[in-house]
Amino acid sequence: MTDPFNPYLPEVATILETVQETHNIKTFRVRFDDEAKMAAFKFEPGQVGQLSAPGIGESTFVINSPPTRMDYLQFSVMRAGEVTTMLHGLNAGDKVGVRAPLGNCFPYEAMKGKNIVFVGGGIGMAPLRTLFLYMLDNRADYGDITLLYGARSPADMAFSAELPEWTSRADVNTTLTIDREADGWAHKVGLIPNVLLELAPKPENTVAVTCGPPIMIKFTLEALKKLGFEDDQIVTTLEKRMKCGIGICGRCNIGSSYVCVDGPVYTYAQLKALPNEL
Amino acid sequence: MAAVKYIASDKLPDWLKSLAAKSRVLVPVAEGGGVVFRPYAPGCRPVFDSDATAPPKGAVFPACQELFRYEQGKDPEDPGKPTLKLIASTEAEPTVVFGAKPCGARGFLIFDRVYIGKKFPDPYYIAAREATVFVTMACAAANVENTCFCHWVGSGPADGSGSDVLLTPVAGGYTAEAVTDKGAALLEDPALADGAAKADEAAAVKAAAREVLGEAPDIAASPAALLAAFDDADFWRDQSDKCVSCGACTYLCPTCYCFTITDEPKGMSGRRMRSWDACMHFQFTLEASGHNPRPTKAHRLKNRVGHKFSYYPTLHDGLVACCGCGRCIKSCPVSVDIREIVQNAVARAKG
């Protein structure tokens, strides 16, 4: 008899490479040690994983590499608490545990044929990156793609190695912005919601996907409403304290919706129907 | 199901001994000013005439449980390369929980919906559940306390759901009815005799206990009523005014199933543990950024009551995630009464 699937037991993986994105964001590129499991691994854009290291513990992060690029699974970790601080001490060659995929995904099938507006702030760019790259890898399936990505300063901008490509590609409209003027900055200066209003994407046949710090989300939602986006045309992905990641341990619920299995991706219309406890 | 059996009080140790020869038998015993479930040993004196202070939750869902062990090392071929080995076992010890009240055993029905059969069945829970048999003791009228409200939540003092055998106290001993096949097997023991002659007396004992509980208020409106009260901060401040966030209610609750996961390192090896956790604590939902979606005790008590009487029943065919045992009321240091909160919410919704 084979053992039943154990959802608490991580896959042992090795860190292939790390990227120090900013002073507090570090990217980990990992592969399962079991090559057969790596080859069989399937996930959808927006799904998350529990990344852990023995003795350090687990935390939830989006898989921010797309399923179209399976050389490694990428997690970008912002140093914020105990686990993330200790994860930052890991380097290439170190062993980690991965429990994935967990949670739901972006409605990337339903988005086919539509124009897409990405609005990402800070580390909130990580989940958007997965879907953005997935769409670039399936470019013909989607209409116009607009990316607005903002951070506090140029030094706070993760994925900087990829920004030249994102801003120069002819098949996407990328705008980068920072909060305040900085030396050598060749892009926009201004808060994300204000720049979004300036860009004024049209809501017709369009889906907006946004993620970022709560205050940015609040004003981005207001801006999108001002631009005429309906609640079901706005998609976001939530963060909550999680432990099990499989809908059991009981801490990430918003009313009867468990963010770890029913989310983390919700439309604004779905969020409005839930109790107000973000 | 098989016919009613009977066991005389003085034969009970024989039965317990024979059960204990084959598996771990947990019985309620007096300890530290309360009654808790402990392994049976010859000579121990089980307490059957009052409800245990703590339910037998730990029999299936231990307060602290190892999920796996890990061993870190170095590749002997290439010492620069770290290695990591994970070792997990979901095996569970065969166990008989003997003498819990129906409310204590019924708690696992609430667990089952969450831990079994969804997208991610929990192998630790399932193994322990399958390895455990419940020989439950129906309540007599004298056992019913003023904190009991099992009849509010679709249960009762002789509820066999969640149990394998139901015992009922009668003159000189107990009748024993099998509820499941697992239970019927336990009744094939020479210590038990035919109980047909005692069946009427047992039925009268059950009816008398039910009689003491009286009428249950109608709380069918509670799922909608609690949602309707969600944003009423004054209401929840009033309900939670006395609460000291100690969490006793959750630790003693037969249906509270939340847990946390932590690592216990010891040099290069260690283990990942899961332990009971409580939504009454500030840290339960505290995020690394400092943000907390449930920052006050009002938020947290709202979640506890809301989960049991609104969110869970909404997800599980109306089943209330409370077995009405009243432990949270009896053991609360400041007398928070979940019955009052539910009724207040229902009354608030009626306007």
Side-chain angles (χ1 to χ4, degrees):
Chain A
M1 208 182 88
T2 56
D3 284 338
F5 174 68
N6 186 340
Y8 298 100
L9 195 63
E11 272 308 310
V12 173
T14 302
I15 300 173
L16 304 181
E17 196 180 359
T18 65
V19 181
Q20 191 70 48
E21 304 276 6
T22 71
H23 74 99
N24 65 350
I25 299 173
K26 187 167 179 175
T27 287
F28 299 88
R29 295 174 176 161
V30 312
R31 264 188 91 82
F32 298 161
D33 286 4
D34 184 334
E35 277 300 331
K37 287 207 169 135
M38 189 71 209
F41 185 75
K42 297 251 181 314
F43 75 101
E44 296 177 283
Q47 288 194 288
V48 301
Q50 287 277 357
L51 181 66
S52 68
I56 290 176
E58 290 184 310
S59 247
T60 317
F61 306 97
V62 70
I63 304 169
N64 75 61
S65 52
T68 42
R69 305 181 190 187
M70 291 298 285
D71 290 343
Y72 50 77
L73 302 177
Q74 176 164 312
F75 299 95
S76 296
V77 177
M78 187 165 92
R79 194 178 60 236
E82 288 172 30
V83 172
T84 51
T85 297
M86 290 173 81
L87 285 175
H88 268 233
L90 300 178
N91 289 302
D94 286 337
K95 299 291 182 189
V96 291
V98 175
R99 293 196 289 129
L102 302 170
N104 70 352
C105 61
F106 288 114
Y108 62 101
E109 291 289 345
M111 288 174 168
K112 279 183 177 167
K114 298 196 165 155
N115 303 319
I116 312 295
V117 177
F118 289 100
V119 186
I123 190 64
M125 188 58 217
L128 303 194
R129 178 185 189 269
T130 323
L131 184 62
F132 179 69
L133 295 184
Y134 176 85
M135 288 180 169
L136 292 187
D137 293 344
N138 294 277
R139 189 64 193 85
D141 288 343
Y142 300 92
D144 292 343
I145 296 179
T146 303
L147 169 64
L148 170 57
Y149 172 28
R152 238 173 252 159
S153 72
D156 288 304
M157 208 153 232
F159 314 117
S160 51
E162 294 163 86
L163 299 181
E165 188 204 332
W166 295 358
T167 50
S168 62
R169 279 180 75 128
D171 58 354
V172 291
N173 309 305
T174 299
T175 304
L176 306 178
T177 185
I178 54 171
D179 290 358
R180 253 171 261 115
E181 293 278 0
D183 285 343
W185 181 250
H187 304 275
K188 284 265 182 200
V189 175
L191 297 175
I192 291 166
N194 299 338
V195 178
L196 178 63
L197 285 173
E198 241 178 80
L199 293 174
K202 293 201 168 33
E204 287 76 30
N205 193 38
T206 301
V207 179
V209 190
T210 184
C211 187
I215 190 74
M216 173 218 128
I217 294 286
K218 181 173 184 278
F219 289 106
T220 296
L221 288 174
E222 282 177 20
L224 287 167
K225 297 304 290 176
K226 216 177 271 182
L227 292 167
F229 282 77
E230 299 292 338
D231 294 343
D232 59 3
Q233 286 178 280
I234 303 169
V235 177
T236 189
T237 174
L238 299 183
E239 195 175 47
K240 284 269 178 190
R241 182 169 197 174
M242 292 176 191
K243 285 286 180 178
C244 73
I246 54 175
I248 300 181
C249 82
R251 74 196 64 228
C252 70
N253 66 306
I254 307 172
S256 52
S257 186
Y258 285 77
V259 174
C260 68
V261 286
D262 304 318
V265 176
Y266 294 86
T267 65
Y268 189 37
Q270 288 169 328
L271 282 184
K272 274 184 153 175
L274 292 176
N276 178 24
E277 193 178 72
L278 292 179
Chain B
M1 277 302 141
V4 180
K5 296 238 178 176
Y6 171 75
I7 184 158
S9 294
D10 58 0
K11 293 271 188 198
L12 209 52
D14 294 345
W15 192 23
L16 286 167
K17 247 179 264 171
S18 113
L19 292 172
K22 282 171 264 171
S23 55
R24 176 176 72 146
V25 177
L26 298 175
V27 290
V29 293
E31 185 182 299
V35 174
V36 293
F37 283 83
R38 291 284 182 255
Y40 175 81
C44 96
R45 304 249 295 268
V47 179
F48 295 132
D49 59 355
S50 71
D51 197 7
T53 316
K57 177 157 76 174
V60 173
F61 183 61
C64 261
Q65 178 172 30
E66 179 186 294
L67 293 173
F68 58 83
R69 287 182 294 123
Y70 65 82
E71 287 170 8
Q72 292 172 288
K74 285 175 181 163
D75 186 342
E77 307 287 309
D78 183 355
K81 273 192 182 165
T83 59
L84 172 61
K85 200 170 145 201
L86 308 181
I87 307 120
S89 168
T90 56
E91 269 174 43
E93 189 181 358
T95 298
V96 177
V97 175
F98 196 105
K101 299 295 182 199
C103 49
R106 190 181 150 93
F108 292 109
L109 292 186
I110 309 303
F111 273 71
D112 288 349
R113 299 268 191 143
V114 178
Y115 282 79
I116 307 176
K118 299 237 294 189
K119 193 174 165 197
F120 297 104
D122 187 301
Y124 302 90
Y125 177 80
I126 291 170
R129 189 78 165 97
E130 285 172 356
T132 306
V133 187
F134 290 88
V135 178
T136 296
M137 184 75 71
C139 293
N143 305 138
V144 176
E145 301 180 48
N146 64 8
T147 46
C148 291
F149 64 110
C150 53
H151 60 315
W152 288 33
V153 294
S155 182
D159 184 1
S161 56
S163 299
D164 299 283
V165 171
L166 187 68
L167 303 179
T168 306
V170 290
Y174 306 89
T175 60
E177 299 161 75
V179 181
T180 65
D181 291 343
K182 259 174 32 177
L186 291 193
L187 298 184
E188 300 299 322
D189 189 285
L192 289 114
D194 182 73
K198 302 277 186 179
D200 287 350
E201 190 188 344
V205 168
K206 292 177 192 174
R210 179 64 191 81
E211 184 72 25
V212 177
L213 285 166
E215 282 291 301
D218 183 5
I219 56 161
S222 64
L226 285 161
L227 273 189
F230 198 92
D231 290 325
D232 188 341
D234 290 343
F235 175 82
W236 287 107
R237 199 163 46 235
D238 288 347
Q239 307 308 311
S240 64
D241 203 27
K242 294 186 285 189
C243 177
V244 291
S245 294
C246 71
C249 50
T250 63
Y251 293 112
L252 294 174
C253 176
T255 72
C256 270
Y257 58 74
C258 293
F259 62 83
T260 185
I261 299 176
T262 49
D263 281 14
E264 278 182 4
K266 196 175 175 188
M268 292 293 277
S269 60
R271 48 190 198 157
R272 185 157 293 166
M273 307 294 294
R274 84 156 149 205
S275 321
W276 294 358
D277 205 351
C279 63
M280 294 291 97
H281 299 322
F282 178 79
Q283 290 82 357
F284 189 66
T285 49
L286 176 64
E287 294 166 19
S289 63
H291 174 67
N292 193 341
R294 298 179 201 142
T296 71
K297 61 184 184 179
H299 288 91
R300 299 192 287 273
L301 191 62
K302 173 170 71 177
N303 182 68
R304 182 161 194 274
V305 180
H307 179 250
K308 292 189 185 306
F309 288 88
S310 177
Y311 319 147
Y312 185 101
T314 299
L315 293 173
H316 300 289
D317 310 311
L319 182 65
V320 175
C322 167
C323 51
C325 69
R327 284 186 176 84
C328 58
I329 306 166
K330 231 187 326 187
S331 298
C332 179
V334 291
S335 303
V336 172
D337 190 332
I338 197 166
R339 294 172 299 189
E340 284 174 15
I341 300 174
V342 171
Q343 283 187 298
N344 289 344
V346 170
R348 180 193 169 281
K350 279 189 186 148

